[in-house]
Amino acid sequence: SQTIHQWPATLVQPVGSPLSLECTVEGTSNPNLYWYRQAAGRGLQLLFYSVGIGQISSEVPQNLSASRPQDRQFILSSKKLLLSDSGFYLCAWSGLAQETQYFGPGTRLLVL
Amino acid sequence: DQQVKQNSPSLSVQEGRISILNCDYTNSMFDYFLWYKKYPAEGPTFLISISSIKDKNEDGRFTVFLNKSAKHLSLHIVPSQPGDSAVYFCAATPSAAGNKLTFGGGTRVLVKP
């Protein structure tokens, strides 16, 4: 069966520090991968999605970037965090030509 | 511009009764719809979905209804259980658009024992 991992689970970072969140998927090949953010009391906003290694599409302009160095690895990064980057970050995957996305456990990021 | 809206931010229901969650959308290109359940500090869990070629899909206690002409869908939970207390998100996608989901803002459900 497929599983999706995210780490760390919680992160507290000072403003201006770098960020790296990692997501890996097991049990499937060539997944579509996604990064979402949920701000406090809000819905889920799609940040990035990837249909293959090195292929990244950005949905909203922001202080973040994403990379996919391996088929089942998706990384969310920032060079300098802002206070507004605080939130709950979720990674998700879907099979090719499949609409249903499956989410990881999430990372809670607090920027102080 | 919110393309998917859940106009009720919260819902309280007695255990054993029916929970009805509503979702409206504006984009006519959406043709596949999903419901997710989310507990605090956890990732959303997929519950049930429906394609625009259907008007109803049922899975155990969960039934989703789709009214394409009204651009409206609803999730019925019968009977409601205390473990159903969570935030529920509806999501929509035009199937041809790389599986990008657009989510509503969520409805918090509280099932009282």
Side-chain angles (χ1 to χ4, degrees):
Chain A
S1 63
Q2 300 86 3
T3 55
I4 179 169
H5 304 278
Q6 284 187 248
W7 64 91
T10 305
L11 191 59
V12 181
Q13 292 284 96
V15 169
S17 64
L19 173 74
S20 181
L21 303 181
E22 189 161 345
C23 170
T24 59
V25 181
E26 296 177 358
T28 186
S29 297
N30 304 315
N32 291 335
L33 297 173
Y34 311 84
W35 279 111
Y36 289 86
R37 176 170 58 203
Q38 183 186 20
R42 305 284 296 276
L44 281 68
Q45 181 185 38
L46 178 63
L47 302 176
F48 300 96
Y49 73 97
S50 171
V51 298
I53 295 174
Q55 301 179 62
I56 309 295
S57 295
S58 174
E59 287 298 294
V60 292
Q62 60 203 308
N63 185 42
L64 302 167
S65 62
S67 62
R68 185 170 177 175
Q70 300 180 45
D71 181 47
R72 290 170 288 177
Q73 184 185 28
F74 206 21
I75 297 172
L76 184 68
S77 304
S78 173
K79 293 182 179 178
K80 288 186 178 182
L81 283 169
L82 306 172
L83 287 174
S84 58
D85 291 323
S86 293
F88 192 53
Y89 288 83
L90 289 155
C91 181
W93 73 273
S94 67
L96 287 177
Q98 300 295 316
E99 292 85 359
T100 304
Q101 294 179 20
Y102 300 93
F103 286 81
T107 294
R108 182 163 303 282
L109 172 66
L110 180 60
V111 182
L112 300 175
Chain B
D1 174 33
Q2 272 191 290
Q3 299 186 63
V4 179
K5 289 185 180 180
Q6 294 176 252
N7 291 317
S8 297
S10 63
L11 172 69
S12 182
V13 64
Q14 207 66 34
E15 180 179 5
R17 298 290 187 97
I18 184 172
S19 295
I20 299 177
L21 292 79
N22 294 303
C23 180
D24 298 294
Y25 62 97
T26 57
N27 190 335
S28 299
M29 299 301 293
F30 290 151
D31 61 4
Y32 196 85
F33 305 88
L34 308 92
W35 284 94
Y36 286 84
K37 174 182 179 180
K38 186 181 181 301
Y39 293 118
E42 294 185 12
T45 302
F46 169 70
L47 273 178
I48 192 169
S49 61
I50 188 167
S51 165
S52 60
I53 62 174
K54 295 184 175 181
D55 55 17
K56 177 183 174 182
N57 189 27
E58 189 173 354
D59 184 1
R61 296 186 297 116
F62 302 92
T63 303
V64 56
F65 295 92
L66 175 63
N67 183 333
K68 283 186 64 179
S69 60
K71 293 190 177 66
H72 177 84
L73 63 153
S74 62
L75 175 68
H76 293 205
I77 306 173
V78 183
S80 299
Q81 300 173 353
D84 296 331
S85 297
V87 178
Y88 290 78
F89 292 97
C90 67
T93 180
S95 299
N99 303 338
K100 290 188 286 182
L101 297 180
T102 300
F103 282 84
T107 296
R108 184 177 301 277
V109 173
L110 175 62
V111 180
K112 299 178 181 177

